[in-house]
Amino acid sequence: MHACFDMKYQYVLCSGLLVCLLLFSSISESYGHGLGYEIMPPEMLGSKLVSLEITSDTWPDEYTKEITFSLFETDTGVNVENVTYFIMLTKQNEVLFDITGQRDDGTFMLKLHTTESDQITVEEAGSDLFGSLFDETLGKVVNVKGNAFSSGGLYNFKVIITTGDDYSNIISPPLDYDVGISFLDKTSHNINDVNFGQQQLDIITYYELINDDFTYDPSKKMISYSMPFDWSEKNILATSVMHQEIIIPKTFGDLMVKSLSADVNGVQIPDSAITIDDFSAQTRVAHLVLNQNDILEISKKVGSLTNKMDFSIMPSADNLPLTTMTGNAQFKLNLSWDPQNIESGSTVTFFFDVLDAFLLDRPVSVSYNLSISDDDERIFQTSGVSNASGHNMIEFDVPDDVTGIITLQFENLNGSDLADAVIPVIVDRVGVDQTSIPDWIKNNAGWWATDQIDDSAFLKGIQYLVQNGIIVI
C-alpha cells in the first residue's frame, strides 16, 4: 500500500511539471501497455481531475495474479469514493469474464488464481474481517479461478466507471479506459547444436506470450521467434515499453560473443535496445527493450498489415571476442584466438584481456591462473599477471586426440577465490554444410519407401539425425 500511495503522490507532485514538459516535448506519457502498472490520463469528474491507477503483483505466489484499480483525485491523491466499476478481461483476443461492482473506498481488487479447471469461476469475498463485518462494499476481493491464468503476457482490461463521489451521481458519459497489464511469462526451448550439444535457451516476455515458432539457425547463430502485436498507431501510443529477456547458458560458446544485434520484422533495432547481463555464473541474459519511440520508428517501415513482431537475435558482425564476467562480478574477460578454426594437432594462440567492471571496463594488471580442460581432464595450465596496456597471449599445442569442446578456466584473479570464469571453445568445428547423413540412414529411407522396413525402424534413423544435431526440428 505504501508503494501505491507514494506513486500517487509522485504523480500529483509532478503533474504540473508534466504539463509544462509536454508543451515542449514529443515524448509520450509514462503510462502504457507493457508494464505491471498504469496511471491513466486525467479526466474530469465534475469540477475535479481524476485518474485511474492500476497496480499488479503476483502474491502470495506465482499462481496468483493480483490487480488493483483505484480512482483518485490528481490534485490530492485521495481516492474517489462510491465508485461503480464494470471490468472485462480479454486475453489473446478472447473475453474471459466481466464483472460489475461498487466500492465505497474507490478501490477494486481482482485476484486471478491458476487452477486446473477449463471453466472460469468468479467469486466475491471480503478481504479482511473488518471489511466483511462492517460494510459489505469495503475490502471486497473478487477471486477468479481457472487455467486461463496459468500464463503471463498481456492482460487487457476494459474498465468503465459509471458513478463517483456518490452512487446517485451517474457519470455521463462514463469514464472509459483500455488498460494493458503485463505479467512475466517464461518459455524454454531445447536445441541440439552440432558443436556444443544439448542447450536450453529460455525466453522471458514482459509483454505478450511468444508464438510457438522458436527456431535456432546454427549457420547464422541466429535465434528467431515471434509475438502477437497490434501495429496500429492507437496501440503503439498505448504501449510504453516492450521488454524481453533471452537467457543463454554459458556452455553455449557460439552465443558468448561480446555483443548481439537484433531485428524486428527485418528492421535493425538500435544497439542500445539490446544489452547483455553476464553477472550470473551459469547464464547470460540478453535484455531486449523497445520503448514507444523505437516501436513507432519500426512501424514506419513495416506498416500495419502484419499482426506480430518477428524477432531475430544473432551475434554482431564479429564473432570474436567471446566475453564473460567472473563470479564476483568484478572482472570482465575478453577471449579471441588465431587461427579461428582450431584443429587437433595444431598450435593456437589465445588472446585475452582482463577488464575491471568497477572501473568502467578499464584493462587492469592482476594475477591469474589459467587452465585448459578436455572432458574435465586438465591438459594445460599456466599463471601470470595480466597486461594493462595490451593483449595477453598464450600459445597452446592442441593434442592430436583432442576434439570437440575444450574449456578455458580462469581462476583466482587478483587472488580472489570468487574471481573465476569458464569459456568453452571448439576444436575441429563442424560446419553446418559439413554435416552429412550416414549411408545406413539413406539405405533405411529407401527400404522404408519400398515397404522393406517398418515405420519404427525408419523413425530410429530420424531420431539419430535429431539427437546428433544433423537436423533441427
Side-chain angles (χ1 to χ4, degrees):
M1 291 301 294
H2 292 294
C4 299
F5 182 82
D6 291 344
M7 190 182 302
K8 288 180 183 177
Y9 274 94
Q10 289 172 7
Y11 185 85
V12 172
L13 293 172
C14 294
S15 59
L17 291 174
L18 179 61
V19 172
C20 296
L21 287 171
L22 290 176
L23 292 175
F24 302 101
S25 173
S26 61
I27 299 175
S28 62
E29 295 87 339
S30 61
Y31 43 80
H33 301 345
L35 301 172
Y37 70 92
E38 284 200 44
I39 296 181
M40 304 305 291
E43 296 197 41
M44 295 301 299
L45 175 59
S47 60
K48 59 190 176 187
L49 279 173
V50 298
S51 186
L52 181 68
E53 178 189 48
I54 308 93
T55 61
S56 67
D57 197 3
T58 49
W59 188 89
D61 51 47
E62 61 182 304
Y63 303 107
T64 304
K65 298 174 175 64
E66 182 179 282
I67 305 100
T68 301
F69 304 85
S70 299
L71 191 68
F72 68 96
E73 299 179 21
T74 59
D75 287 341
T76 64
V78 175
N79 272 16
V80 177
E81 297 180 345
N82 304 320
V83 178
T84 301
Y85 287 92
F86 168 82
I87 298 175
M88 180 174 68
L89 171 59
T90 302
K91 191 167 185 285
Q92 293 186 304
N93 299 317
E94 179 184 357
V95 176
L96 299 184
F97 70 89
D98 62 68
I99 187 170
T100 300
Q102 295 181 329
R103 295 295 183 267
D104 287 7
D105 61 357
T107 296
F108 195 106
M109 181 182 290
L110 282 173
K111 285 199 173 190
L112 309 179
H113 303 270
T114 300
T115 65
E116 296 181 357
S117 175
D118 292 335
Q119 183 177 359
I120 292 177
T121 60
V122 181
E123 305 168 354
E124 192 165 19
S127 63
D128 55 60
L129 177 63
F130 296 103
S132 58
L133 283 179
F134 295 103
D135 193 328
E136 64 178 8
T137 63
L138 279 174
K140 280 191 172 180
V141 176
V142 176
N143 294 294
V144 189
K145 301 177 181 180
N147 62 14
F149 312 120
S150 62
S151 60
L154 189 61
Y155 284 60
N156 294 293
F157 294 92
K158 166 67 75 173
V159 182
I160 299 175
I161 296 174
T162 54
T163 71
D165 289 331
D166 193 286
Y167 290 127
S168 63
N169 180 29
I170 307 300
I171 304 172
S172 182
L175 304 180
D176 191 335
Y177 302 100
D178 290 305
V179 179
I181 295 295
S182 294
F183 289 95
L184 176 154
D185 190 78
K186 179 179 178 180
T187 55
S188 298
H189 309 272
N190 293 310
I191 65 172
N192 192 352
D193 185 73
V194 67
N195 288 293
F196 287 97
Q198 290 284 348
Q199 302 290 334
Q200 177 180 301
L201 277 66
D202 298 327
I203 297 177
I204 295 177
T205 174
Y206 296 90
Y207 188 82
E208 182 59 289
L209 303 181
I210 70 167
N211 293 321
D212 188 21
D213 57 1
F214 178 95
T215 60
Y216 177 72
D217 182 346
S219 64
K220 299 178 181 178
K221 304 174 185 176
M222 182 171 70
I223 300 166
S224 300
Y225 59 92
S226 69
M227 176 190 76
F229 188 77
D230 176 4
W231 285 97
S232 67
E233 184 177 10
K234 178 182 177 181
N235 183 64
I236 295 174
L237 293 177
T239 302
S240 293
V241 66
M242 193 288 303
H243 178 199
Q244 293 178 347
E245 296 176 0
I246 300 93
I247 302 176
I248 302 166
K250 288 191 172 181
T251 54
F252 199 176
D254 279 352
L255 295 181
M256 290 296 296
V257 292
K258 185 177 181 180
S259 62
L260 295 168
S261 62
D263 292 350
V264 174
N265 291 42
V267 179
Q268 186 167 353
I269 65 172
D271 291 341
S272 58
I274 184 164
T275 57
I276 297 175
D277 171 2
D278 262 327
F279 291 103
S280 165
Q282 287 76 37
T283 60
R284 63 180 355 203
V285 181
H287 294 271
L288 178 59
V289 182
L290 298 175
N291 61 36
Q292 188 179 90
N293 288 334
D294 293 330
I295 299 171
L296 282 170
E297 287 300 312
I298 296 170
S299 71
K300 293 176 183 178
K301 300 176 182 179
V302 303
S304 58
L305 297 179
T306 182
N307 60 358
K308 62 179 180 177
M309 283 187 174
D310 287 301
F311 299 94
S312 298
I313 299 100
M314 69 198 82
S316 300
D318 295 328
N319 290 323
L320 294 177
L322 304 186
T323 186
T324 191
M325 297 289 296
T326 55
N328 64 351
Q330 181 177 359
F331 300 108
K332 177 185 287 187
L333 292 162
N334 289 339
L335 176 72
S336 57
W337 54 88
D338 185 55
Q340 286 201 25
N341 290 320
I342 305 173
E343 297 180 350
S344 301
S346 68
T347 299
V348 58
T349 302
F350 288 107
F351 304 92
F352 65 93
D353 301 314
V354 180
L355 315 174
D356 194 322
F358 299 160
L359 300 176
L360 301 178
D361 292 346
R362 191 177 75 189
V364 289
S365 178
V366 296
S367 59
Y368 67 86
N369 296 329
L370 171 61
S371 62
I372 300 176
S373 298
D374 173 43
D375 286 335
D376 296 326
E377 180 184 349
R378 185 168 294 183
I379 56 177
F380 175 86
Q381 59 184 3
T382 187
S383 59
V385 176
S386 61
N387 187 349
S389 58
H391 290 307
N392 303 277
M393 181 178 68
I394 62 166
E395 287 192 348
F396 172 56
D397 295 324
V398 185
D400 294 337
D401 59 348
V402 168
T403 188
I405 302 172
I406 60 172
T407 56
L408 279 74
Q409 181 160 359
F410 293 85
E411 297 176 292
N412 300 317
L413 271 72
N414 205 31
S416 171
D417 292 340
L418 301 177
D420 58 357
V422 175
I423 301 178
V425 175
I426 293 294
V427 176
D428 297 329
R429 169 177 288 274
V430 178
V432 175
D433 55 350
Q434 293 176 287
T435 56
S436 59
I437 299 175
D439 289 338
W440 67 269
I441 292 182
K442 295 178 183 178
N443 293 334
N444 274 5
W447 294 332
W448 176 74
T450 57
D451 294 327
Q452 296 182 57
I453 61 172
D454 59 18
D455 290 351
S456 62
F458 178 66
L459 286 175
K460 288 180 181 178
I462 301 298
Q463 290 171 350
Y464 172 89
L465 297 178
V466 173
Q467 292 169 356
N468 288 275
I470 297 173
I471 61 174
V472 178
I473 59 173

